[in-house]
Amino acid sequence: MTTATYAEREVSLDAEGFFTDPSQWDEAEAPAIAAAEGISPLTDRHWEVIRFMRREYEEKGAAPNVRALAKTSGVSIRELYQLFPKGPAKLAAKIAGVPKPVGCI
Amino acid sequence: MIGGGTGGTLAANRLRRSLAPDDAITVIDADDRHLYQPGLLFVPFGLAPAARLVRPRAAQLRAGIDFLQSVVEEVDVEADQVVLAGGERIPYDVLVVASGARLLLQETEGLTGPGWGERVHTFYSLPGAATLAGALASFAGGRLVVDLVDLPVKCPVAPLEFCFLADWYLQRHGLRSRVQLTYVTALDGAFTKATCNRELSGLLARKGVEVVTEFATARVDAAGGRLVSYDEREVGFDLAVVVPLHGGADYVSRSPGLGDALGFVPTDGGTLQARVKPNVFVIGDAADLRASKAGSVAHFEGPVLARNVARYLGREAPDAHFDGHTNCFIETGFGKAILIDFDDDLEPVAGHFPTPIGLPLLRESRLNHLGKLAFEQLYWHAILPGREIPLVGSEMPRAGKRPQLAPPLLQTEGGTR
Ligand SMILES: Cc1cc2nc3c(=O)[nH]c(=O)nc-3n(C[C@H](O)[C@H](O)[C@H](O)COP(=O)(O)OP(=O)(O)OC[C@H]3O[C@@H](n4cnc5c(N)ncnc54)[C@H](O)[C@@H]3O)c2cc1C
């Protein structure tokens, strides 16, 4: 486990940089996490996905994977990849301060 | 019981033994062809005749179980009724959802288009595997690409096994030097469990299989011979073997409250009860569990499900708990296989299974290959009847496991492959 400081707040991260304690997150930290992942600035569309991710996690206890995200958030897979290149679900989860979406192996 | 495949059959047989004779059990399935799905892996290489893999469903069910061949249209969870395609309603006290996972070909652009069944194939269905056998037999060389579109899929190691067997097959036909074999995956490694990923990646490298990771396939362009990802990367092919995205049965999405966005049923991973209502239980691939979508998982879930359903009918709280136990033989070609055994807490480790004297874990061996072959008979004669397999209970055995050992790099018995 490591720590990082986003928006002047110290938070705990796992080995891959995901929050281990989602309650340490607030919206003010998101731009700094995103910038560290090469996404800057955050547009309204980014925010829509980040807030959706956060809500899903709070309601269901797990972050959705990219297919589920596309089906439920209303943002298409193609656009998700434009907003969060490489791994939309992973990146959006990281920026939203929730644990890595689980694969199903 | 909706579904007379692996999970539905073994659960019905277990329940028939444990419930009172006047408790009626009905298994509903859309067709009467029970397919031994693990055998699909061998069909493209001429190692299993397609016809051998299929048996009638009703013949796998004990006396005293009704088999109803019909398509389920919807479940009315409120009214405790299953609605059939003709509109007929079947009432239930307890419903077991065992309708598995299906291939969502239409979710990937170009998959069912021109070139499907010619340059682009899958071995995840019986017709697909049989057609691919023909295509491989006439393959003269070039770029052979195996593409795992996304999780969840049934038996996530099967695409890797396909690569290993393809390497063997091409060598045997004197073609290996003329073929560039590539494994393309949406995951960030060959396998998601860290230790196992290291072992399998090493094996792929030794067999000369190139690996492309984090490739989210957006489009399969058969005419142009290329896979295109959402982030605009491309992998060219002459022959593509695609494992398409999976979803749950379509009636699940049509039944209010029952399923998630992909048609899988949100399920309590311990009691195997659906979240929607306590009289709905789920076994096998239909559940949204973290455990693999594998027949071995359905097998280990069997006793838990049977006990909890019986307790529910007796108005007692479910007390059996599933631990995520998974066990799979990974065929690695040249008459060898690796065995892995794990649960939600312990990832695949070295040692022996199920006791300190037994099959070697996480290591290639001929014994494991024989185990994989024997599994076919075990499937029809022990797994489906819902029998206990000596020494292999539902809970993951720990006796022969050596998690404290740093796993060695994959050792191989007798020779380089
Ligand atoms: C290529 C391949 C290799 C595999 N290898 C292995 C392996 O080595 N080891 C292993 O453990 N597992 C393996 N598996 C996975 C294993 O076969 C499945 O996980 C297992 O069969 C799941 O059982 P199930 O009962 O959940 O679903 P299934 O056995 O698929 O049964 C579901 C049933 O539901 C029926 N159904 C669906 N919708 C409806 C409807 N609307 N109305 C009526 N009936 C319906 C279907 O007709 C089907 O019969 C492999 C799978 C594949 C494809």
Side-chain angles (χ1 to χ4, degrees):
Chain A
M1 209 160 73
T2 58
T3 58
T5 306
Y6 298 125
E8 291 163 25
R9 184 165 175 191
E10 190 171 271
V11 299
S12 321
L13 304 177
D14 70 9
E16 291 177 86
F18 291 88
F19 275 56
T20 52
D21 178 3
S23 73
Q24 293 180 332
W25 184 88
D26 66 47
E27 292 201 351
E29 299 166 34
I33 311 172
E37 294 292 332
I39 300 174
S40 179
L42 288 177
T43 64
D44 289 352
R45 246 353 221 180
H46 286 108
W47 273 111
E48 237 174 86
V49 177
I50 293 165
R51 293 197 177 111
F52 183 85
M53 189 54 122
R54 190 76 198 174
R55 233 177 9 252
E56 282 287 292
Y57 175 78
E58 280 162 5
E59 278 167 23
K60 305 198 175 137
N65 68 18
V66 64
R67 304 275 165 177
L69 191 60
K71 285 218 186 287
T72 47
S73 69
V75 182
S76 71
I77 298 198
R78 195 167 290 283
E79 190 182 348
L80 284 170
Y81 272 94
Q82 281 157 5
L83 294 169
F84 304 95
K86 273 234 154 187
K90 269 198 304 196
L91 276 176
K94 197 176 268 186
I95 299 169
V98 302
K100 186 176 173 179
V102 281
C104 304
I105 285 198
Chain B
M1 194 93 54
I2 306 179
T6 313
T9 302
L10 69 89
N13 286 333
R14 278 184 178 274
L15 282 167
R16 187 64 290 163
R17 285 206 306 270
S18 60
L19 296 181
D22 56 348
D23 286 328
I25 303 176
T26 304
V27 173
I28 308 172
D29 203 292
D31 62 53
D32 192 25
R33 292 164 53 80
H34 190 135
L35 169 66
Y36 174 65
Q37 297 176 44
L40 293 175
L41 173 67
F42 298 102
V43 173
F45 306 104
L47 296 171
R52 191 182 81 201
L53 306 180
V54 180
R55 298 190 184 182
R57 293 193 194 277
Q60 318 310 320
L61 296 168
R62 287 177 82 90
I65 297 171
D66 294 320
F67 178 68
L68 179 62
Q69 190 178 328
S70 185
V71 174
V72 171
E73 198 56 35
E74 195 189 318
V75 176
D76 186 340
V77 176
E78 285 280 295
D80 299 324
Q81 290 176 338
V82 172
V83 186
L84 302 181
E88 193 189 338
R89 289 177 164 256
I90 315 267
Y92 59 80
D93 297 306
V94 166
L95 175 70
V96 178
V97 174
S99 40
R102 65 192 171 108
L103 311 180
L104 303 179
L105 298 169
Q106 70 284 3
E107 290 280 328
T108 304
E109 195 185 324
L111 253 199
T112 50
W116 176 244
E118 291 160 25
R119 275 179 104 179
V120 182
H121 297 263
T122 189
F123 63 99
Y124 265 56
S125 70
L126 194 52
T131 317
L132 176 54
L136 273 179
S138 55
F139 186 53
R143 295 159 302 172
L144 172 58
V145 168
V146 180
D147 179 30
L148 173 61
V149 171
D150 206 351
L151 290 183
V153 297
K154 296 190 248 198
C155 198
V157 294
L160 291 167
E161 297 180 275
F162 187 93
C163 292
F164 297 141
L165 284 175
D167 168 69
W168 163 82
Y169 178 91
L170 294 166
Q171 283 202 39
R172 213 190 56 172
H173 289 84
L175 282 171
R176 187 63 183 94
S177 60
R178 274 185 268 158
V179 177
Q180 187 187 336
L181 185 53
T182 307
Y183 180 56
V184 177
T185 170
L187 305 180
D188 53 14
F191 195 69
T192 58
K193 303 250 174 196
T195 321
C196 208
N197 179 32
R198 207 160 58 230
E199 303 300 325
L200 293 172
S201 300
L203 199 54
L204 285 165
R206 286 221 304 279
K207 291 183 186 283
V209 181
E210 197 192 318
V211 181
V212 178
T213 58
E214 291 188 286
F215 189 93
T217 308
R219 191 153 66 91
V220 178
D221 173 8
R226 59 197 183 127
L227 306 173
V228 185
S229 71
Y230 282 106
D231 54 2
E232 308 296 336
R233 284 182 290 157
E234 290 188 8
V235 175
F237 64 79
D238 296 295
L239 188 63
V241 178
V242 177
V243 179
L245 183 71
H246 289 27
D250 50 2
Y251 78 87
V252 173
S253 314
R254 275 199 298 272
S255 309
L258 189 61
D260 65 14
L262 294 174
F264 294 110
V265 180
T267 303
D268 181 318
T271 66
L272 303 180
Q273 273 169 310
R275 306 240 182 238
V276 67
K277 211 172 168 181
N279 67 338
V280 179
F281 289 78
V282 192
I283 188 166
D285 297 350
D288 75 339
L289 302 188
R290 271 178 61 198
S292 290
K293 301 211 175 294
S296 67
V297 170
H299 169 68
F300 295 130
E301 287 170 340
V304 174
L305 181 113
R307 178 169 171 92
N308 286 346
V309 168
R311 284 181 65 90
Y312 181 87
L313 287 169
R315 297 179 198 288
E316 291 172 300
D319 66 352
H321 198 88
F322 180 59
D323 62 359
H325 187 188
T326 307
N327 175 297
C328 50
F329 289 104
I330 307 173
E331 189 70 15
T332 52
F334 296 90
K336 290 179 193 158
I338 301 173
L339 176 64
I340 58 176
D341 190 68
F342 55 97
D343 68 9
D344 285 343
D345 297 328
L346 185 63
E347 67 166 293
V349 292
H352 287 84
F353 176 86
T355 63
I357 13 173
L359 297 172
L361 284 167
L362 207 55
R363 179 156 74 80
E364 265 194 305
S365 85
R366 292 196 189 282
L367 205 54
N368 287 334
H369 166 69
L370 296 177
K372 175 118 186 161
L373 296 187
F375 192 69
E376 186 170 346
Q377 289 308 311
L378 209 59
Y379 182 81
W380 298 110
H381 300 297
I383 301 228
L384 290 184
R387 293 210 180 92
E388 306 302 338
I389 296 169
L391 296 175
V392 186
S394 170
E395 257 178 60
M396 188 196 70
R398 286 169 196 274
K401 296 216 163 72
R402 294 177 299 166
Q404 69 282 11
L405 286 187
L409 271 183
L410 202 96
Q411 303 163 5
T412 323
E413 268 180 8
T416 50
R417 287 210 177 238

Short mmCIF file of all heavy atoms in Angstrom, two decimals, chain B residues 112-166:
data_model
loop_
_atom_site.label_atom_id
_atom_site.label_comp_id
_atom_site.label_asym_id
_atom_site.label_seq_id
_atom_site.Cartn_x
_atom_site.Cartn_y
_atom_site.Cartn_z
N THR B 112 -20.78 -11.18 -37.34
CA THR B 112 -21.65 -12.11 -38.06
C THR B 112 -21.73 -11.76 -39.55
O THR B 112 -22.48 -12.38 -40.28
CB THR B 112 -23.07 -12.08 -37.47
OG1 THR B 112 -23.48 -10.72 -37.38
CG2 THR B 112 -23.11 -12.71 -36.10
N GLY B 113 -20.94 -10.77 -39.96
CA GLY B 113 -21.02 -10.29 -41.34
C GLY B 113 -20.32 -11.20 -42.33
O GLY B 113 -20.04 -12.37 -42.04
N PRO B 114 -20.01 -10.67 -43.52
CA PRO B 114 -19.32 -11.46 -44.54
C PRO B 114 -17.99 -11.97 -44.01
O PRO B 114 -17.31 -11.24 -43.29
CB PRO B 114 -19.09 -10.46 -45.68
CG PRO B 114 -19.93 -9.27 -45.37
CD PRO B 114 -20.24 -9.29 -43.91
N GLY B 115 -17.67 -13.19 -44.31
CA GLY B 115 -16.39 -13.74 -43.84
C GLY B 115 -16.55 -14.57 -42.57
O GLY B 115 -15.66 -15.32 -42.18
N TRP B 116 -17.71 -14.45 -41.91
CA TRP B 116 -17.98 -15.24 -40.70
C TRP B 116 -18.12 -16.70 -41.12
O TRP B 116 -18.88 -17.02 -42.02
CB TRP B 116 -19.28 -14.73 -40.05
CG TRP B 116 -19.72 -15.51 -38.84
CD1 TRP B 116 -20.87 -16.23 -38.72
CD2 TRP B 116 -19.05 -15.63 -37.59
NE1 TRP B 116 -20.95 -16.80 -37.48
CE2 TRP B 116 -19.84 -16.46 -36.75
CE3 TRP B 116 -17.84 -15.13 -37.09
CZ2 TRP B 116 -19.46 -16.79 -35.44
CZ3 TRP B 116 -17.47 -15.47 -35.79
CH2 TRP B 116 -18.27 -16.28 -34.99
N GLY B 117 -17.34 -17.57 -40.49
CA GLY B 117 -17.37 -18.98 -40.89
C GLY B 117 -16.41 -19.27 -42.04
O GLY B 117 -16.29 -20.41 -42.47
N GLU B 118 -15.73 -18.23 -42.53
CA GLU B 118 -14.73 -18.43 -43.58
C GLU B 118 -13.34 -18.04 -43.07
O GLU B 118 -12.49 -18.89 -42.83
CB GLU B 118 -15.10 -17.61 -44.82
CG GLU B 118 -16.33 -18.18 -45.51
CD GLU B 118 -17.02 -17.18 -46.42
OE1 GLU B 118 -16.35 -16.24 -46.90
OE2 GLU B 118 -18.23 -17.33 -46.64
N ARG B 119 -13.17 -16.72 -42.85
CA ARG B 119 -11.89 -16.27 -42.28
C ARG B 119 -12.00 -16.00 -40.79
O ARG B 119 -11.00 -15.83 -40.11
CB ARG B 119 -11.48 -14.95 -42.95
CG ARG B 119 -10.75 -15.14 -44.24
CD ARG B 119 -10.45 -13.78 -44.78
NE ARG B 119 -9.06 -13.43 -44.59
CZ ARG B 119 -8.54 -12.28 -45.02
NH1 ARG B 119 -9.30 -11.38 -45.61
NH2 ARG B 119 -7.26 -12.03 -44.83
N VAL B 120 -13.23 -15.86 -40.31
CA VAL B 120 -13.46 -15.55 -38.90
C VAL B 120 -14.32 -16.64 -38.27
O VAL B 120 -15.38 -16.98 -38.82
CB VAL B 120 -14.16 -14.19 -38.74
CG1 VAL B 120 -14.36 -13.85 -37.28
CG2 VAL B 120 -13.38 -13.09 -39.45
N HIS B 121 -13.84 -17.19 -37.16
CA HIS B 121 -14.50 -18.36 -36.55
C HIS B 121 -14.61 -18.23 -35.05
O HIS B 121 -13.99 -17.37 -34.44
CB HIS B 121 -13.68 -19.63 -36.85
CG HIS B 121 -13.59 -19.94 -38.29
ND1 HIS B 121 -14.41 -20.84 -38.91
CD2 HIS B 121 -12.77 -19.46 -39.26
CE1 HIS B 121 -14.10 -20.90 -40.19
NE2 HIS B 121 -13.11 -20.08 -40.43
N THR B 122 -15.39 -19.14 -34.45
CA THR B 122 -15.33 -19.32 -33.00
C THR B 122 -15.41 -20.81 -32.74
O THR B 122 -15.98 -21.55 -33.55
CB THR B 122 -16.47 -18.59 -32.28
OG1 THR B 122 -16.21 -18.65 -30.87
CG2 THR B 122 -17.84 -19.22 -32.55
N PHE B 123 -14.82 -21.28 -31.61
CA PHE B 123 -15.02 -22.69 -31.25
C PHE B 123 -15.96 -22.78 -30.06
O PHE B 123 -16.12 -23.84 -29.48
CB PHE B 123 -13.68 -23.38 -30.98
CG PHE B 123 -12.91 -22.82 -29.80
CD1 PHE B 123 -12.95 -23.43 -28.57
CD2 PHE B 123 -12.14 -21.67 -29.95
CE1 PHE B 123 -12.24 -22.91 -27.48
CE2 PHE B 123 -11.44 -21.14 -28.87
CZ PHE B 123 -11.49 -21.77 -27.63
N TYR B 124 -16.63 -21.67 -29.69
CA TYR B 124 -17.49 -21.66 -28.51
C TYR B 124 -18.90 -22.18 -28.78
O TYR B 124 -19.75 -22.13 -27.90
CB TYR B 124 -17.52 -20.25 -27.90
CG TYR B 124 -16.51 -20.12 -26.79
CD1 TYR B 124 -15.17 -20.40 -27.03
CD2 TYR B 124 -16.87 -19.74 -25.50
CE1 TYR B 124 -14.23 -20.32 -26.01
CE2 TYR B 124 -15.95 -19.66 -24.48
CZ TYR B 124 -14.63 -19.94 -24.74
OH TYR B 124 -13.71 -19.87 -23.72
N SER B 125 -19.17 -22.65 -30.01
CA SER B 125 -20.43 -23.33 -30.28
C SER B 125 -20.10 -24.57 -31.08
O SER B 125 -19.03 -24.63 -31.71
CB SER B 125 -21.37 -22.42 -31.07
OG SER B 125 -20.89 -22.28 -32.40
N LEU B 126 -21.00 -25.55 -31.09
CA LEU B 126 -20.69 -26.79 -31.80
C LEU B 126 -20.58 -26.57 -33.31
O LEU B 126 -19.59 -27.01 -33.92
CB LEU B 126 -21.73 -27.86 -31.46
CG LEU B 126 -21.37 -29.29 -31.86
CD1 LEU B 126 -20.00 -29.69 -31.33
CD2 LEU B 126 -22.43 -30.26 -31.37
N PRO B 127 -21.54 -25.85 -33.95
CA PRO B 127 -21.36 -25.61 -35.39
C PRO B 127 -20.08 -24.81 -35.66
O PRO B 127 -19.37 -25.08 -36.64
CB PRO B 127 -22.59 -24.77 -35.78
CG PRO B 127 -23.53 -24.83 -34.62
CD PRO B 127 -22.80 -25.30 -33.42
N GLY B 128 -19.78 -23.84 -34.78
CA GLY B 128 -18.58 -23.02 -34.95
C GLY B 128 -17.32 -23.87 -34.89
O GLY B 128 -16.42 -23.74 -35.74
N ALA B 129 -17.25 -24.76 -33.90
CA ALA B 129 -16.05 -25.60 -33.73
C ALA B 129 -15.87 -26.53 -34.92
O ALA B 129 -14.75 -26.76 -35.38
CB ALA B 129 -16.16 -26.39 -32.43
N ALA B 130 -17.01 -27.06 -35.43
CA ALA B 130 -16.93 -27.99 -36.56
C ALA B 130 -16.47 -27.27 -37.82
O ALA B 130 -15.65 -27.79 -38.59
CB ALA B 130 -18.29 -28.66 -36.77
N THR B 131 -16.98 -26.05 -38.06
CA THR B 131 -16.57 -25.28 -39.24
C THR B 131 -15.09 -24.93 -39.15
O THR B 131 -14.35 -24.98 -40.14
CB THR B 131 -17.39 -23.98 -39.35
OG1 THR B 131 -18.74 -24.27 -39.07
CG2 THR B 131 -17.28 -23.37 -40.73
N LEU B 132 -14.66 -24.58 -37.94
CA LEU B 132 -13.26 -24.20 -37.74
C LEU B 132 -12.32 -25.38 -38.03
O LEU B 132 -11.22 -25.20 -38.55
CB LEU B 132 -13.07 -23.68 -36.31
CG LEU B 132 -11.65 -23.32 -35.87
CD1 LEU B 132 -11.01 -22.34 -36.83
CD2 LEU B 132 -11.68 -22.72 -34.45
N ALA B 133 -12.79 -26.60 -37.71
CA ALA B 133 -11.98 -27.78 -38.00
C ALA B 133 -11.65 -27.83 -39.48
O ALA B 133 -10.51 -28.09 -39.88
CB ALA B 133 -12.71 -29.05 -37.56
N GLY B 134 -12.65 -27.55 -40.31
CA GLY B 134 -12.45 -27.54 -41.76
C GLY B 134 -11.47 -26.45 -42.18
O GLY B 134 -10.57 -26.68 -43.00
N ALA B 135 -11.63 -25.26 -41.59
CA ALA B 135 -10.77 -24.13 -41.95
C ALA B 135 -9.32 -24.40 -41.56
O ALA B 135 -8.39 -24.07 -42.31
CB ALA B 135 -11.28 -22.86 -41.27
N LEU B 136 -9.11 -25.01 -40.39
CA LEU B 136 -7.73 -25.31 -39.96
C LEU B 136 -7.09 -26.36 -40.85
O LEU B 136 -5.91 -26.28 -41.19
CB LEU B 136 -7.73 -25.80 -38.51
CG LEU B 136 -7.66 -24.75 -37.40
CD1 LEU B 136 -7.70 -25.41 -36.04
CD2 LEU B 136 -6.40 -23.89 -37.54
N ALA B 137 -7.92 -27.34 -41.24
CA ALA B 137 -7.39 -28.42 -42.08
C ALA B 137 -6.90 -27.89 -43.42
O ALA B 137 -5.97 -28.44 -44.01
CB ALA B 137 -8.45 -29.49 -42.28
N SER B 138 -7.51 -26.79 -43.90
CA SER B 138 -7.07 -26.28 -45.20
C SER B 138 -6.21 -25.03 -45.05
O SER B 138 -5.90 -24.36 -46.04
CB SER B 138 -8.29 -26.00 -46.09
OG SER B 138 -9.17 -25.13 -45.44
N PHE B 139 -5.81 -24.70 -43.84
CA PHE B 139 -4.97 -23.52 -43.60
C PHE B 139 -3.53 -23.81 -44.03
O PHE B 139 -2.92 -24.77 -43.58
CB PHE B 139 -5.03 -23.19 -42.10
CG PHE B 139 -4.34 -21.91 -41.70
CD1 PHE B 139 -4.64 -20.70 -42.32
CD2 PHE B 139 -3.40 -21.90 -40.67
CE1 PHE B 139 -4.03 -19.52 -41.93
CE2 PHE B 139 -2.78 -20.72 -40.26
CZ PHE B 139 -3.10 -19.53 -40.89
N ALA B 140 -3.03 -22.97 -44.93
CA ALA B 140 -1.71 -23.27 -45.47
C ALA B 140 -0.61 -22.43 -44.83
O ALA B 140 0.57 -22.59 -45.15
CB ALA B 140 -1.73 -23.04 -46.98
N GLY B 141 -0.98 -21.54 -43.91
CA GLY B 141 0.02 -20.68 -43.27
C GLY B 141 -0.41 -19.24 -43.31
O GLY B 141 -1.38 -18.88 -43.99
N GLY B 142 0.29 -18.39 -42.53
CA GLY B 142 -0.07 -16.98 -42.45
C GLY B 142 -0.27 -16.57 -41.00
O GLY B 142 0.29 -17.19 -40.09
N ARG B 143 -1.10 -15.55 -40.79
CA ARG B 143 -1.30 -15.04 -39.43
C ARG B 143 -2.57 -15.64 -38.81
O ARG B 143 -3.68 -15.38 -39.29
CB ARG B 143 -1.41 -13.52 -39.46
CG ARG B 143 -0.13 -12.83 -39.91
CD ARG B 143 -0.40 -11.43 -40.40
NE ARG B 143 -1.36 -11.45 -41.52
CZ ARG B 143 -1.92 -10.36 -42.05
NH1 ARG B 143 -1.65 -9.18 -41.54
NH2 ARG B 143 -2.76 -10.47 -43.06
N LEU B 144 -2.40 -16.43 -37.77
CA LEU B 144 -3.53 -17.00 -37.03
C LEU B 144 -3.68 -16.22 -35.73
O LEU B 144 -2.75 -16.15 -34.92
CB LEU B 144 -3.29 -18.49 -36.75
CG LEU B 144 -4.28 -19.20 -35.83
CD1 LEU B 144 -5.71 -19.12 -36.38
CD2 LEU B 144 -3.90 -20.67 -35.66
N VAL B 145 -4.85 -15.59 -35.56
CA VAL B 145 -5.08 -14.75 -34.39
C VAL B 145 -6.20 -15.32 -33.54
O VAL B 145 -7.25 -15.69 -34.06
CB VAL B 145 -5.43 -13.31 -34.85
CG1 VAL B 145 -5.96 -12.49 -33.68
CG2 VAL B 145 -4.21 -12.64 -35.44
N VAL B 146 -5.96 -15.43 -32.23
CA VAL B 146 -6.99 -15.86 -31.29
C VAL B 146 -7.36 -14.63 -30.46
O VAL B 146 -6.49 -14.02 -29.84
CB VAL B 146 -6.47 -16.99 -30.38
CG1 VAL B 146 -7.55 -17.44 -29.40
CG2 VAL B 146 -6.00 -18.18 -31.23
N ASP B 147 -8.63 -14.24 -30.49
CA ASP B 147 -9.03 -12.98 -29.88
C ASP B 147 -10.07 -13.17 -28.79
O ASP B 147 -11.18 -13.65 -29.04
CB ASP B 147 -9.60 -12.06 -30.98
CG ASP B 147 -10.08 -10.72 -30.43
OD1 ASP B 147 -9.52 -10.24 -29.42
OD2 ASP B 147 -11.02 -10.14 -31.02
N LEU B 148 -9.72 -12.79 -27.56
CA LEU B 148 -10.67 -12.79 -26.45
C LEU B 148 -11.26 -11.38 -26.37
O LEU B 148 -10.59 -10.44 -25.94
CB LEU B 148 -9.97 -13.15 -25.13
CG LEU B 148 -10.81 -13.05 -23.85
CD1 LEU B 148 -12.00 -13.98 -23.88
CD2 LEU B 148 -9.95 -13.36 -22.63
N VAL B 149 -12.52 -11.24 -26.81
CA VAL B 149 -13.11 -9.91 -26.95
C VAL B 149 -13.25 -9.20 -25.60
O VAL B 149 -12.84 -8.06 -25.45
CB VAL B 149 -14.47 -9.97 -27.68
CG1 VAL B 149 -15.19 -8.64 -27.63
CG2 VAL B 149 -14.25 -10.39 -29.13
N ASP B 150 -13.83 -9.86 -24.63
CA ASP B 150 -13.96 -9.26 -23.30
C ASP B 150 -14.48 -10.28 -22.32
O ASP B 150 -15.07 -11.28 -22.71
CB ASP B 150 -14.92 -8.05 -23.34
CG ASP B 150 -14.62 -7.04 -22.24
OD1 ASP B 150 -13.81 -7.34 -21.35
OD2 ASP B 150 -15.20 -5.94 -22.29
N LEU B 151 -14.29 -10.02 -21.04
CA LEU B 151 -14.90 -10.84 -20.01
C LEU B 151 -16.30 -10.33 -19.76
O LEU B 151 -16.57 -9.19 -20.06
CB LEU B 151 -14.08 -10.74 -18.72
CG LEU B 151 -12.71 -11.41 -18.76
CD1 LEU B 151 -12.06 -11.28 -17.40
CD2 LEU B 151 -12.84 -12.87 -19.15
N PRO B 152 -17.21 -11.08 -19.19
CA PRO B 152 -17.00 -12.46 -18.80
C PRO B 152 -17.17 -13.42 -19.95
O PRO B 152 -17.98 -13.19 -20.84
CB PRO B 152 -18.11 -12.68 -17.76
CG PRO B 152 -19.22 -11.78 -18.21
CD PRO B 152 -18.56 -10.58 -18.82
N VAL B 153 -16.37 -14.51 -19.95
CA VAL B 153 -16.59 -15.61 -20.89
C VAL B 153 -16.56 -16.92 -20.11
O VAL B 153 -16.02 -16.98 -19.02
CB VAL B 153 -15.52 -15.67 -22.01
CG1 VAL B 153 -15.57 -14.43 -22.87
CG2 VAL B 153 -14.13 -15.89 -21.44
N LYS B 154 -17.14 -17.93 -20.71
CA LYS B 154 -17.07 -19.26 -20.11
C LYS B 154 -15.63 -19.73 -20.19
O LYS B 154 -14.95 -19.49 -21.18
CB LYS B 154 -17.93 -20.25 -20.90
CG LYS B 154 -19.39 -19.92 -20.87
CD LYS B 154 -20.19 -21.06 -21.45
CE LYS B 154 -20.83 -20.66 -22.74
NZ LYS B 154 -21.93 -21.57 -23.11
N CYS B 155 -15.20 -20.40 -19.14
CA CYS B 155 -13.88 -21.03 -19.13
C CYS B 155 -12.80 -20.11 -19.70
O CYS B 155 -12.31 -20.33 -20.81
CB CYS B 155 -13.92 -22.32 -19.92
SG CYS B 155 -12.53 -23.38 -19.55
N PRO B 156 -12.41 -19.07 -18.94
CA PRO B 156 -11.50 -18.05 -19.49
C PRO B 156 -10.13 -18.60 -19.90
O PRO B 156 -9.39 -17.90 -20.57
CB PRO B 156 -11.34 -17.07 -18.32
CG PRO B 156 -12.45 -17.37 -17.38
CD PRO B 156 -12.83 -18.80 -17.57
N VAL B 157 -9.80 -19.83 -19.51
CA VAL B 157 -8.51 -20.38 -19.96
C VAL B 157 -8.63 -21.05 -21.32
O VAL B 157 -7.61 -21.30 -21.97
CB VAL B 157 -7.89 -21.37 -18.95
CG1 VAL B 157 -7.50 -20.66 -17.67
CG2 VAL B 157 -8.82 -22.52 -18.67
N ALA B 158 -9.86 -21.32 -21.79
CA ALA B 158 -10.01 -22.05 -23.05
C ALA B 158 -9.33 -21.35 -24.24
O ALA B 158 -8.72 -22.03 -25.08
CB ALA B 158 -11.49 -22.33 -23.34
N PRO B 159 -9.39 -20.01 -24.35
CA PRO B 159 -8.69 -19.37 -25.48
C PRO B 159 -7.18 -19.61 -25.43
O PRO B 159 -6.54 -19.75 -26.49
CB PRO B 159 -9.01 -17.89 -25.30
CG PRO B 159 -10.23 -17.84 -24.44
CD PRO B 159 -10.19 -19.06 -23.57
N LEU B 160 -6.61 -19.68 -24.21
CA LEU B 160 -5.17 -19.97 -24.10
C LEU B 160 -4.88 -21.40 -24.50
O LEU B 160 -3.91 -21.70 -25.19
CB LEU B 160 -4.71 -19.76 -22.65
CG LEU B 160 -4.70 -18.32 -22.17
CD1 LEU B 160 -4.54 -18.27 -20.65
CD2 LEU B 160 -3.57 -17.57 -22.84
N GLU B 161 -5.77 -22.30 -24.05
CA GLU B 161 -5.60 -23.71 -24.41
C GLU B 161 -5.65 -23.86 -25.92
O GLU B 161 -4.92 -24.66 -26.51
CB GLU B 161 -6.71 -24.55 -23.79
CG GLU B 161 -6.72 -24.56 -22.28
CD GLU B 161 -7.86 -25.43 -21.76
OE1 GLU B 161 -8.99 -24.91 -21.64
OE2 GLU B 161 -7.64 -26.61 -21.48
N PHE B 162 -6.53 -23.07 -26.56
CA PHE B 162 -6.62 -23.12 -28.01
C PHE B 162 -5.28 -22.76 -28.64
O PHE B 162 -4.82 -23.42 -29.58
CB PHE B 162 -7.73 -22.20 -28.53
CG PHE B 162 -7.98 -22.36 -30.00
CD1 PHE B 162 -8.94 -23.24 -30.46
CD2 PHE B 162 -7.20 -21.68 -30.93
CE1 PHE B 162 -9.14 -23.43 -31.83
CE2 PHE B 162 -7.38 -21.86 -32.29
CZ PHE B 162 -8.36 -22.74 -32.74
N CYS B 163 -4.61 -21.73 -28.10
CA CYS B 163 -3.29 -21.33 -28.62
C CYS B 163 -2.28 -22.47 -28.48
O CYS B 163 -1.53 -22.76 -29.40
CB CYS B 163 -2.76 -20.11 -27.86
SG CYS B 163 -3.69 -18.62 -28.16
N PHE B 164 -2.26 -23.10 -27.29
CA PHE B 164 -1.30 -24.19 -27.05
C PHE B 164 -1.55 -25.35 -28.02
O PHE B 164 -0.62 -25.92 -28.58
CB PHE B 164 -1.41 -24.69 -25.61
CG PHE B 164 -1.05 -23.64 -24.57
CD1 PHE B 164 -1.77 -23.55 -23.38
CD2 PHE B 164 0.00 -22.76 -24.79
CE1 PHE B 164 -1.44 -22.59 -22.42
CE2 PHE B 164 0.33 -21.80 -23.84
CZ PHE B 164 -0.38 -21.72 -22.65
N LEU B 165 -2.83 -25.69 -28.18
CA LEU B 165 -3.14 -26.81 -29.07
C LEU B 165 -2.88 -26.45 -30.53
O LEU B 165 -2.45 -27.29 -31.32
CB LEU B 165 -4.60 -27.24 -28.89
CG LEU B 165 -4.88 -28.06 -27.62
CD1 LEU B 165 -6.36 -28.34 -27.47
CD2 LEU B 165 -4.09 -29.37 -27.65
N ALA B 166 -3.11 -25.18 -30.89
CA ALA B 166 -2.85 -24.75 -32.27
C ALA B 166 -1.35 -24.89 -32.56
O ALA B 166 -0.95 -25.37 -33.63
CB ALA B 166 -3.31 -23.31 -32.48
#
